């Protein structure tokens, strides 16, 4: 066979591979990989029910490119968007069995625990996430969530510690200042509470009236 003819055959075969959807015909992706990638596109477009329907048909045993922990992460996130916190929690816990350092799965699992009224489990999950990545930009929301939970447990000084860390990382985070206003009021530091309330309002916290009401209730209970 001539060298030029052989070259045309090789190029033709390559073209077939490249034109195949997700390169499946070249063996780099499986049918189940493609199902998940299509589901992720639906998720990114806000079509959560369609995403879930596809994710539920995928078989992790047949993945070639998709990592199982990433599959369970997206499954958990999709359930969360649909308000099914128990199923979301189960999926994220499955992801964490495979990869314990998966930061975002720990965060969502903590939120699920909180939504389900399992505050102690939520605290443990949040604190474990921070062990892995305390300075992650996503940790700001985590510090705020921890502060909020400790406020609900009547532990203002612990709440202040976490919320001050959040505001140190991201000074313009309005929720950190809003919850600091409550925590300082609980700790009888009214001047600091007033300062944080002004900052929360200035940075556009959208439930400032609720925060003012909670602070008023705190101060009334202390008199």
């Amino acid at each position: 066979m001539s060298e030029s003819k052989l070259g045309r055959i090789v190029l033709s075969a390559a073209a077939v591979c490249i034109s195949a959807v997700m390169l499946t015909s070249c063996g780099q992706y499986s049918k189940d990989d493609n199902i998940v990638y299509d589901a992720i596109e639906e998720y990114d477009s806000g079509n959560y029910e369609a995403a879930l329907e596809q994710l539920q048909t995928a078989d992790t045993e047949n993945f070639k490119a998709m990592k199982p922990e990433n599959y369970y992460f997206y499954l958990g996130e999709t359930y969360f968007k649909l308000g099914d916190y128990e199923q979301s929690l189960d999926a994220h816990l499955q992801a964490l069995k495979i990869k314990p350092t998966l930061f975002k799965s720990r965060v969502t699992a903590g939120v699920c625990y909180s939504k389900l009224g399992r505050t102690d489990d939520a605290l443990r999950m949040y604190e474990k996430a921070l062990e892995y990545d305390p300075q992650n930009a996503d940790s700001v929301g985590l510090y705020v969530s921890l502060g909020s939970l400790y406020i609900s447990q009547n532990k203002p000084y612990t709440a202040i510690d976490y919320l001050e860390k959040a505001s140190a990382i991201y000074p313009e985070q309005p929720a950190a200042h809003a919850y600091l206003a409550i925590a300082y009021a609980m700790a009888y530091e009214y001047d600091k509470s007033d300062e944080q309330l002004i900052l929360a309002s200035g940075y556009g916290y959208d439930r400032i009236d609720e925060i003012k009401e909670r602070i008023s209730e705190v101060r009334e209970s202390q008199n």
Side-chain angles (χ1 to χ4, degrees):
M1 181 183 296
S2 69
E3 191 172 337
S4 60
K5 185 175 182 181
L6 177 60
R8 287 195 298 273
I9 292 172
V10 171
L11 289 173
S12 178
V16 170
C17 285
I18 291 170
S19 64
V21 177
M22 300 299 287
L23 303 179
T24 301
S25 64
C26 291
Q28 295 187 30
Y29 295 86
S30 70
K31 174 184 176 182
D32 292 275
D33 288 327
N34 290 332
I35 288 173
V36 178
Y37 295 138
D38 288 344
I40 291 171
E41 288 185 8
E42 295 285 4
Y43 176 91
D44 289 340
S45 299
N47 302 322
Y48 304 121
E49 291 183 358
L52 179 60
E53 185 176 348
Q54 289 183 309
L55 287 168
Q56 288 174 328
T57 66
D59 186 349
T60 58
E61 296 295 324
N62 295 328
F63 289 161
K64 289 186 178 180
M66 172 62 59
K67 294 181 178 179
E69 65 267 28
N70 292 339
Y71 163 75
Y72 286 113
F73 168 78
Y74 276 104
L75 182 62
E77 292 298 291
T78 304
Y79 275 123
F80 187 87
K81 290 292 188 181
L82 292 170
D84 191 336
Y85 303 120
E86 290 186 358
Q87 293 280 16
S88 176
L89 178 61
D90 288 344
H92 280 296
L93 291 178
Q94 187 65 35
L96 291 168
K97 283 182 182 179
I98 301 168
K99 188 176 181 180
T101 59
L102 198 56
F103 181 83
K104 291 185 178 181
S105 271
R106 286 203 176 273
V107 173
T108 304
V111 177
C112 289
Y113 277 132
S114 183
K115 294 281 188 182
L116 295 169
R118 298 170 61 177
T119 303
D120 289 341
D121 289 324
L123 288 172
R124 282 192 289 270
M125 189 62 72
Y126 287 151
E127 289 169 349
K128 191 67 175 178
L130 287 174
E131 289 179 16
Y132 289 116
D133 207 346
Q135 296 302 319
N136 188 305
D138 293 330
S139 295
V140 173
L142 201 50
Y143 284 124
V144 173
S145 295
L146 280 162
S148 173
L149 285 174
Y150 278 114
I151 286 172
S152 70
Q153 291 194 331
N154 199 31
K155 296 179 179 179
Y157 296 104
T158 307
I160 288 169
D161 183 49
Y162 281 113
L163 293 165
E164 286 182 341
K165 289 177 181 176
S167 62
I169 296 172
Y170 183 22
E172 297 180 5
Q173 165 56 262
H177 296 295
Y179 284 111
L180 269 172
I182 298 171
Y184 279 132
M186 293 172 69
Y188 295 89
E189 297 189 55
Y190 301 130
D191 288 344
K192 288 185 177 180
S193 176
D194 291 342
E195 290 173 2
Q196 294 300 318
L197 191 62
I198 291 170
L199 287 171
S201 180
Y203 289 131
Y205 189 73
D206 59 0
R207 301 200 309 275
I208 200 70
D209 290 338
E210 293 179 22
I211 300 300
K212 290 179 179 178
E213 185 176 346
R214 289 186 66 179
I215 292 171
S216 295
E217 291 172 355
V218 167
R219 297 185 69 159
E220 286 175 8
S221 69
Q222 293 170 337
N223 294 331

